[in-house]
């Protein structure tokens, strides 16, 4: 119930803050469990992804540090988020989302690069797809990259592509992981070009404090 309440609240807030939100390619969403894989472009795009797949509910991983705040932890946990130690990720990084997909029918939202400040893709998406037998679905965010741009009602589009080809029976080797990573990047480019061929995203640089 809390997730549904939060989703309605987020929908209202999004409409007030921006109001120019559309979804492209929703027909590509599978009926069963699946994994959204996306390039990480803003801190708020998971909210738009969760709205895009409604009425299905999403689960996602977040860095463990933000769970220290009790109020934020309550909201995150009841929004199906689970903590991850980026320095020393344990078995729960794989087990928790698989359990949520299989037992609760939730959709996993993943950013294979891990952060908004990296273009390097890891092997987590391939591993979870292999163990869960859930297809990888490429999704991209096109829209304002600053909160000010969000408030100025700049157009936001969530593009959903076709399932990425994945051999669930093959042994998960480094070569297969690399192939999946290349296929994901190619799929993102296809979706980006379908929405706006002139769109170019330049990864942000992390500000040192």
């Amino acid at each position: 119930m809390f997730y549904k309440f939060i989703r309605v609240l987020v929908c209202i807030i999004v409409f007030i803050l921006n109001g120019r939100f559309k979804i492209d390619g929703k027909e590509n969403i599978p009926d069963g469990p699946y994994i959204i894989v996306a390039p990480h472009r803003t801190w708020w795009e998971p909210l738009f992804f969760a709205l895009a797949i409604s009425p299905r509910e999403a689960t996602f991983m977040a860095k463990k540090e933000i769970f220290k705040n009790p109020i934020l932890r309550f909201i995150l946990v009841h929004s199906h988020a689970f903590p991850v130690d980026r320095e020393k990720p344990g078995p729960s990084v794989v087990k928790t989302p698989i359990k949520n997909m299989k037992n609760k029918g939730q959709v996993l939202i993943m950013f294979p690069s891990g952060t908004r400040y990296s273009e390097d893709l890891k092997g987590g998406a391939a591993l979870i797809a292999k163990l869960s037998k859930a297809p990888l679905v490429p999704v991209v965010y096109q829209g304002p990259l600053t909160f000010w741009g969000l408030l100025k009602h700049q157009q936001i589009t969530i593009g959903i592509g076709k399932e990425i080809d994945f051999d669930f029976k093959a042994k998960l080797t480094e070569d297969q992981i690399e192939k999946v990573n290349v296929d994901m990047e190619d799929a993102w480019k296809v979706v980006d070009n379908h929405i706006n061929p002139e769109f170019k995203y330049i990864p942000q640089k992390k500000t040192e404090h």
Side-chain angles (χ1 to χ4, degrees):
M1 287 297 295
F2 185 83
Y3 183 97
K4 291 181 174 63
F5 169 75
I6 287 293
R7 184 167 57 197
V8 171
L9 182 61
V10 168
C11 190
I12 293 172
I13 293 173
V14 164
F15 180 79
I16 293 173
L17 293 181
N18 187 275
R20 299 192 65 197
F21 166 47
K22 68 177 184 179
I23 306 167
D24 184 87
K26 193 160 185 175
E27 68 277 4
N28 293 321
I29 293 179
D31 292 328
Y34 64 96
I35 302 168
I36 285 178
V37 286
H40 209 351
R41 294 172 176 171
T42 72
W43 61 262
W44 55 78
E45 61 196 339
L47 300 177
F48 286 93
F49 292 165
L51 293 178
I53 65 171
S54 180
R56 294 285 294 278
E57 297 186 4
T59 181
F60 60 96
M61 55 190 73
K63 58 183 181 180
K64 67 174 186 178
E65 289 79 8
I66 62 176
F67 283 81
K68 293 180 179 179
N69 182 298
I71 296 176
L72 192 55
R73 181 175 64 245
F74 177 86
I75 294 173
L76 288 169
V77 169
H78 288 83
S79 298
H80 308 329
F82 56 95
V84 172
D85 185 341
R86 289 178 175 173
E87 299 299 322
K88 298 178 180 179
S92 63
V93 176
V94 174
K95 292 181 179 180
T96 299
I98 291 177
K99 182 176 69 174
N100 290 346
M101 283 191 289
K102 287 188 174 182
N103 298 341
K104 301 178 182 179
Q106 295 170 1
V107 176
L108 175 62
I109 297 176
M110 282 196 73
F111 299 98
S113 65
T115 73
R116 290 177 287 139
Y117 310 106
S118 174
E119 291 183 281
D120 297 328
L121 302 185
K122 283 75 172 178
L127 177 59
I128 294 176
K130 171 71 176 177
L131 296 176
S132 67
K133 301 295 188 293
L136 298 171
V137 177
V139 177
V140 303
Y141 165 97
Q142 281 193 21
L145 301 177
T146 64
F147 194 69
W148 176 241
L150 196 69
L151 295 178
K152 290 172 67 176
H153 283 218
Q154 294 176 3
Q155 179 66 57
I156 294 174
T157 303
I158 303 302
I160 304 170
K162 296 181 180 180
E163 293 180 19
I164 295 171
D165 183 46
F166 189 94
D167 188 351
F168 292 104
K169 295 182 180 180
K171 186 178 180 180
L172 194 61
T173 62
E174 289 187 7
D175 287 341
Q176 190 187 26
I177 290 174
E178 180 59 27
K179 180 182 182 303
V180 171
N181 288 345
V182 171
D183 289 346
M184 281 193 294
E185 291 185 317
D186 289 344
W188 294 334
K189 290 176 183 176
V190 170
V191 180
D192 271 329
N193 288 334
H194 179 71
I195 298 171
N196 179 7
E198 297 182 359
F199 175 82
K200 300 292 181 185
Y201 173 72
I202 300 175
Q204 302 175 2
K205 292 183 179 180
K206 190 172 185 178
T207 303
E208 300 293 339
H209 296 283

